[in-house]
């Protein structure tokens, strides 16, 4: 398992947390997702054999947030 912390802009409320944790959490290979609104970060634990970091970033982007 790999762990990564992504800087994400545009998150401001509980809906943002649910949107990101829900969509990323549904990806095959993702075992844990935690949004930190106060820091503007998202922690993701995933298996790189099953899902790419680019796919995770794309999923967050598709929810309307920017990954830096």
């Amino acid at each position: 398992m790999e762990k990564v912390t992504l800087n994400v802009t545009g998150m401001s409320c509980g809906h943002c947390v649910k949107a990101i944790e829900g969509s990323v959490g549904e990806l095959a290979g993702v075992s844990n997702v935690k949004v930190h609104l106060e820091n503007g970060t998202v922690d993701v634990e995933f298996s790189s054999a099953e899902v790419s970091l680019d796919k995770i970033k794309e999923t967050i982007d598709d929810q309307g947030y920017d990954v830096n």
Side-chain angles (χ1 to χ4, degrees):
M1 285 290 175
E2 291 189 42
K3 292 182 182 179
V4 65
T5 299
L6 303 171
N7 292 314
V8 180
T9 56
M11 302 183 301
S12 61
C13 63
H15 172 76
C16 302
V17 173
K18 287 182 181 180
I20 292 174
E21 289 182 353
S23 61
V24 174
E26 290 177 356
L27 294 173
V30 173
S31 61
N32 191 29
V33 183
K34 179 65 179 161
V35 173
H36 303 280
L37 282 178
E38 64 280 359
N39 301 336
T41 60
V42 178
D43 295 332
V44 184
E45 189 173 339
F46 65 101
S47 168
S48 58
E50 295 181 65
V51 65
S52 69
L53 182 56
D54 285 342
K55 179 63 176 172
I56 293 168
K57 290 179 179 180
E58 179 183 315
T59 301
I60 293 171
D61 187 62
D62 288 348
Q63 293 298 314
Y65 307 99
D66 294 318
V67 181
N68 301 317

